[in-house]
C-alpha cells in the first residue's frame, strides 16, 4: 500500500448518486492501493444552459449552497478538509435525510463544520458568490476531461477519466474492489464510451 494510485473524484454534495459512488470509493481505498482526491463540481453550473424541467431546476438551485461552503472551507483551511466535510454533509443530507426531517441546509452546514472543528460562520458562504469562480474552475476542470453530456460524479485515474459509475448501493469489502477492477478494465480502452441500462432503483444509503 506504499505506492497508492491517486483517484480524483468530482462531486456535488447534493447529488445522491455521487454520494453512493463516493462511499464506494471509500470502500475501495480499504482493499486497493488507491487514494481519493476530492474536487468540487456543481449541478447548477452543469445545467445552467440546458433545457431541463422547471421542477428539477428549482431543486438544484439549492445545491450550490453546500458547494459554496466546501469551497470556503477549502480556501480557509486547505484542500485536506474537503473530503471530510463532504462526508459530514452527505451523511446528514442523504443517510439521515436531514433536509427531509426539517434540518435545513444551513443547519446541516453548521453542524458539519462544527463536527470537524471548523469555523461555523463559513456557512454564511451559502448566500455569497465569493467562491463561485473557484467552484466553476474546479467544475470546468472535471467536465473538460469527459465532455458536457455527463453529470456528477466524474472520476480520473491517471489519463483515464469517465462519468460514474452510477450505482444505487455501496458494495463492501472485496465486492467494492471487484467493481473497481472491472470499471478500470473497461474504461482503459480509448474506444470504449458507453455501457448502460435503464435505472430502476433509487439510491440506498445503508
Amino acid at each position: 500500500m506504499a505506492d497508492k494510485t491517486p483517484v480524483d473524484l468530482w462531486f456535488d454534495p447534493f447529488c445522491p448518486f455521487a454520494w453512493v459512488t463516493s462511499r464506494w470509493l471509500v470502500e475501495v481505498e480499504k482493499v486497493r492501493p488507491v487514494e481519493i482526491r476530492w474536487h468540487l463540481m456543481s449541478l447548477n453550473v452543469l445545467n445552467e444552459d440546458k433545457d431541463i424541467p422547471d421542477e428539477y431546476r428549482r431543486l438544484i438551485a439549492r445545491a450550490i449552497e453546500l458547494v459554496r461552503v466546501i469551497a470556503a472551507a477549502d480556501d480557509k483551511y486547505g484542500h485536506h478538509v474537503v473530503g471530510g466535510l463532504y462526508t459530514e454533509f452527505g451523511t446528514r443530507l442523504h443517510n439521515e435525510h436531514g433536509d427531509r426531517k426539517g434540518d435545513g441546509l444551513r443547519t446541516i452546514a453548521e453542524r458539519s463544520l462544527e463536527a470537524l472543528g471548523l469555523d461555523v460562520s463559513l456557512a454564511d458562504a451559502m448566500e455569497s458568490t465569493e467562491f463561485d469562480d473557484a467552484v466553476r474552475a474546479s467544475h470546468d476542470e472535471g467536465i473538460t476531461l469527459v465532455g458536457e453530456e455527463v453529470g456528477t460524479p466524474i472520476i480520473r485515474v491517471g489519463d483515464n477519466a469517465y462519468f460514474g459509475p452510477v450505482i444505487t448501493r455501496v458494495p463492501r469489502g472485496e465486492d467494492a474492489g471487484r467493481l473497481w477492477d472491472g470499471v478500470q478494465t473497461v474504461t482503459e480502452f480509448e474506444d470504449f464510451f458507453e455501457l448502460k441500462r435503464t435505472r430502476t432503483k433509487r439510491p440506498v444509503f445503508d
Side-chain angles (χ1 to χ4, degrees):
M1 296 293 288
D3 297 321
K4 295 185 178 182
T5 300
V7 177
D8 294 287
L9 174 71
W10 278 265
F11 67 92
D12 184 315
F14 205 72
C15 178
F17 293 102
W19 175 244
V20 175
T21 300
S22 75
R23 296 312 95 184
W24 162 63
L25 284 182
V26 170
E27 289 292 310
V28 172
E29 274 193 314
K30 301 174 184 177
V31 294
R32 295 294 186 271
V34 303
E35 181 176 15
I36 307 170
R37 300 190 299 197
W38 308 91
H39 306 271
L40 288 169
M41 63 182 299
S42 169
L43 289 170
N44 302 73
V45 175
L46 180 69
N47 291 285
E48 61 186 356
D49 297 322
K50 294 183 179 179
D51 183 16
I52 60 175
D54 291 341
E55 182 179 356
Y56 182 61
R57 191 172 295 282
R58 285 193 295 270
L59 176 66
I60 64 172
R62 304 161 57 213
I64 191 67
E65 296 176 357
L66 294 181
V67 174
R68 286 168 170 167
V69 176
I70 295 179
D74 186 352
D75 180 73
K76 180 166 184 174
Y77 294 101
H79 197 67
H80 66 279
V81 303
V82 172
L85 194 51
Y86 179 32
T87 294
E88 294 292 334
F89 281 175
T91 299
R92 288 172 170 78
L93 182 62
H94 301 298
N95 292 56
E96 299 173 3
H97 308 291
D99 202 38
R100 298 183 197 173
K101 68 182 183 181
D103 292 341
L105 294 184
R106 175 81 189 206
T107 299
I108 290 172
E110 289 178 344
R111 290 178 178 172
S112 298
L113 290 163
E114 184 178 25
L116 295 179
L118 306 180
D119 184 357
V120 175
S121 71
L122 290 175
D124 292 341
M126 296 174 71
E127 301 175 1
S128 169
T129 60
E130 179 180 357
F131 299 100
D132 284 8
D133 286 346
V135 170
R136 186 176 293 273
S138 179
H139 175 95
D140 289 346
E141 181 185 10
I143 284 292
T144 298
L145 299 171
V146 293
E148 293 289 339
E149 298 305 315
V150 300
T152 176
I154 293 168
I155 291 174
R156 176 177 63 191
V157 185
D159 294 330
N160 184 30
Y162 48 87
F163 160 63
V166 176
I167 53 178
T168 56
R169 188 183 294 273
V170 181
R172 308 290 180 179
E174 186 56 25
D175 282 346
R178 290 176 56 232
L179 178 57
W180 172 257
D181 297 340
V183 169
Q184 295 318 296
T185 296
V186 297
T187 58
E188 284 172 359
F189 287 85
E190 65 177 355
D191 293 316
F192 172 82
F193 289 98
E194 189 169 352
L195 180 67
K196 188 173 183 178
R197 56 185 171 186
T198 300
R199 190 172 62 240
T200 59
K201 299 178 181 179
R202 295 291 301 167
V204 177
F205 313 118
D206 54 10

